[in-house]
Amino acid sequence: MKDLVDIAALQKLNTQRPIKSKRNRWTVGISEFARLTHNPIRAIVDRLNIEPNPSKPLIALSIGDPTTFGNLKPSQETIAAIREVIENGNGNGYAPANGHLEAREAVARYVQHQGSVSASDVILCSGCSSALDLCISVLGSAGKNILIPKPGFSIYRTLAEGFGIECRTYDLLPERNWEADLVQLEKLIDEDTCALVVTNPGNPCGSVFRREHLEAIVDIAERHFVPIVADEIYEHFVFPGHEFHSVSSLSRSVPVLSCGGLTKRFLVPGWRMGWIIIHDRNNVFTEVRKGLVNLSVRILGSNTIIQRALPDILSNTPADFFDDLVNRLHHHAEIAYKMVKNIRGLNPIMPGGAMYMMVGIDTEHFPEFETDLNFVEALVREQSVFCLPGQCFDYPNYIRLVLTVPEEMIIEAVKRMEEFCEHHYKVDSENLLEHQNGLLAQLTQL
């Protein structure tokens, strides 16, 4: 009874003498992690003045989503696997944070070309970007540095810089089909280097590394004891004349975290199913394995409907579905390359795989455009063709074309690009004089 009296007295006192606030205004800040996190592509695209020509329908060669235009659809087997799971209801509940055992076993069977893999080596994630996030999160921390390719997919920087990890870029060389500058790469490594990111096949370049080149990269990592994060989401997108080699299959001692998923090959990026494959012949990643499981609980695992369907999706989708997809993308790449190659002022580099093509801009012949951003803005404004500028990939004076759009749209887009370039192309006076003198010399010899 006394306790009740004391509580009543205290409540009465509080109402008579309200507690003074320690703040006199709203001051809601954000975390350092949020402040440091940004998306370079989004930052650049948001600043662009994208106003299409109203008399021409927009053709977006900028979107890395193969499903955007409806010409590329998942297989009937993939759809049937999902339908069955939904109907029987066994994918409605939670799964272990790293994924259902049956799903991880299915992925392990699917990636045997990467080396000996068991279910315990598989972490299921919410898309390949989530897989990359976990890899960078488990290996890096403030004060460390990570090596990423240039040009390269911007998400590596987005994921690393939030943690205060320094991103050091190693150059990919266009004159060598986008192979890495190995001398420069090795010089970037120091005692604080926590990981080397290798993207193969490449985005935005569409490059496919030769076996010898990958072996040289692995040798550098081995000499300096640097683990590799292999972004291999496009591992099955390889055009004739090229061959994919997984980093893990070439490693003798370097531990590798390979990131992949359903996203692109199965034409279901919105289903958000990716995975990490842990390759660790010498048990270097003992703590890393535990750390990846720890990080997985932050989102309580990936989509369980897709997990339940994974065994059927991975085993039942016919090979000719994949062959048709790659053949179609290769056909689109050949069309785009042959047409763009004939445009004055543009220098395409034929991809070996993936679904992109990088095109160099001879900026000296387009003096009215100070940057590739200005070039892209004018191309949209006049011709309603939108490509991502090279600056989105830390590589100015290039543009990236996406090859997944319908064939007729690629042809129309490149025709418009040719019209645009012919209108703006300028011959500098020295070259013009040299050209005229050459013609004069030929005439005097007749």
Side-chain angles (χ1 to χ4, degrees):
M1 187 69 179
K2 182 177 183 299
D3 291 340
L4 293 176
V5 173
D6 290 342
I7 292 173
L10 182 60
Q11 290 175 336
K12 183 178 180 181
L13 180 63
N14 287 339
T15 57
Q16 294 174 345
R17 189 179 59 193
I19 298 174
K20 185 178 181 182
S21 173
K22 295 180 180 179
R23 299 176 181 173
N24 56 14
R25 60 187 176 89
W26 284 101
T27 54
V28 181
I30 63 172
S31 68
E32 187 72 357
F33 180 79
R35 187 182 67 79
L36 293 174
T37 300
H38 70 287
N39 186 326
I41 290 182
R42 192 74 268 146
I44 292 170
V45 171
D46 286 348
R47 293 199 306 269
L48 290 176
N49 182 18
I50 303 300
E51 296 182 1
N53 184 334
S55 66
K56 296 184 178 184
L58 178 68
I59 301 177
L61 302 181
S62 57
I63 306 171
D65 180 347
T67 70
T68 298
F69 294 92
N71 58 315
L72 300 176
K73 302 177 185 294
S75 73
Q76 290 304 309
E77 291 79 6
T78 297
I79 299 300
I82 292 296
R83 183 178 292 115
E84 181 178 348
V85 171
I86 292 174
E87 289 176 350
N88 66 33
N90 70 348
N92 295 337
Y94 287 122
N98 62 342
H100 281 301
L101 176 61
E102 296 82 359
R104 290 186 288 115
E105 288 175 337
V107 173
R109 291 191 295 271
Y110 178 72
V111 300
Q112 285 301 314
H113 61 282
Q114 295 185 10
S116 179
V117 177
S118 69
S120 62
D121 301 314
V122 179
I123 304 284
L124 298 184
C125 308
S126 183
C128 190
S129 58
S130 172
L132 291 165
D133 184 20
L134 293 188
C135 291
I136 291 173
S137 301
V138 79
L139 294 174
S141 58
K144 299 291 185 180
N145 64 76
I146 187 170
L147 308 186
I148 62 175
K150 174 186 175 182
F153 188 28
S154 66
I155 198 168
Y156 310 134
R157 186 177 296 278
T158 298
L159 298 173
E161 290 185 340
F163 292 106
I165 302 169
E166 176 192 358
C167 290
R168 297 183 177 180
T169 57
Y170 61 91
D171 290 336
L172 304 181
L173 306 174
E175 67 274 15
R176 286 167 43 185
N177 291 315
W178 301 111
E179 288 190 342
D181 183 335
L182 298 177
V183 174
Q184 179 209 32
L185 188 158
E186 189 160 15
K187 288 180 179 178
L188 292 172
I189 298 173
D190 63 19
E191 64 275 9
D192 291 320
T193 302
C194 62
L196 162 62
V197 175
V198 177
T199 314
N200 181 50
N203 175 13
C205 304
S207 50
V208 178
F209 290 157
R210 296 176 298 114
R211 178 190 180 100
E212 295 77 12
H213 186 64
L214 275 173
E215 288 176 333
I217 292 175
V218 172
D219 285 344
I220 291 173
E222 185 173 350
R223 283 198 298 274
H224 296 279
F225 304 96
V226 177
I228 291 177
V229 175
D231 184 350
E232 297 176 330
I233 187 64
Y234 296 104
E235 62 177 326
H236 297 286
F237 283 52
V238 179
F239 299 156
H242 300 268
E243 185 177 357
F244 170 77
H245 300 279
S246 65
V247 172
S248 56
S249 69
L250 304 178
S251 171
R252 297 178 298 273
S253 62
V254 176
V256 178
L257 298 178
S258 175
C259 299
L262 292 184
T263 301
K264 301 294 168 46
R265 191 185 191 205
F266 291 82
L267 302 176
V268 287
W271 289 9
R272 311 313 300 140
M273 175 51 64
W275 50 71
I276 301 168
I277 311 299
I278 304 169
H279 299 278
D280 184 23
R281 292 186 177 89
N282 299 313
N283 298 318
V284 176
F285 272 166
T286 301
E287 290 301 311
V288 169
R289 287 177 182 272
K290 297 176 184 176
L292 287 171
V293 173
N294 291 346
L295 291 172
S296 297
V297 304
R298 289 173 59 86
I299 60 167
L300 298 180
S302 59
N303 189 311
T304 52
I305 291 177
I306 311 302
Q307 286 189 42
R308 290 300 193 190
L310 262 182
D312 286 344
I313 291 174
L314 296 179
S315 62
N316 294 346
T317 305
D320 58 4
F321 170 81
F322 304 123
D323 293 341
D324 177 69
L325 175 59
V326 172
N327 290 337
R328 200 181 314 189
L329 292 177
H330 180 229
H331 179 59
H332 290 183
E334 288 187 315
I335 291 173
Y337 178 76
K338 290 175 183 177
M339 292 183 68
V340 176
K341 191 176 180 181
N342 291 323
I343 299 177
R344 290 198 301 171
L346 297 185
N347 301 301
I349 299 174
M350 180 64 186
M355 49 188 236
Y356 310 103
M357 178 185 294
M358 288 288 274
V359 177
I361 305 169
D362 288 334
T363 53
E364 67 273 17
H365 293 299
F366 300 101
E368 64 187 288
F369 306 123
E370 293 184 6
T371 67
D372 54 326
L373 305 182
N374 302 137
F375 184 96
V376 166
E377 287 176 330
L379 180 59
V380 176
R381 184 170 60 251
E382 296 178 23
Q383 297 293 341
S384 293
V385 175
F386 182 28
C387 311
L388 283 185
Q391 287 190 38
C392 288
F393 310 99
D394 203 16
Y395 213 76
N397 301 328
Y398 275 77
I399 54 176
R400 188 195 74 172
L401 312 185
V402 172
L403 303 172
T404 54
V405 302
E407 179 179 332
E408 61 274 14
M409 292 183 70
I410 290 179
I411 294 172
E412 173 63 20
V414 177
K415 286 180 178 178
R416 294 188 198 175
M417 291 168 65
E418 181 175 21
E419 182 180 335
F420 174 83
C421 288
E422 283 300 311
H423 178 68
H424 293 282
Y425 187 92
K426 299 292 186 298
V427 179
D428 63 70
S429 56
E430 287 187 14
N431 287 341
L432 180 60
L433 181 60
E434 183 179 336
H435 179 67
Q436 291 172 337
N437 289 338
L439 290 176
L440 184 61
Q442 292 177 20
L443 290 173
T444 57
Q445 292 175 5
L446 295 178

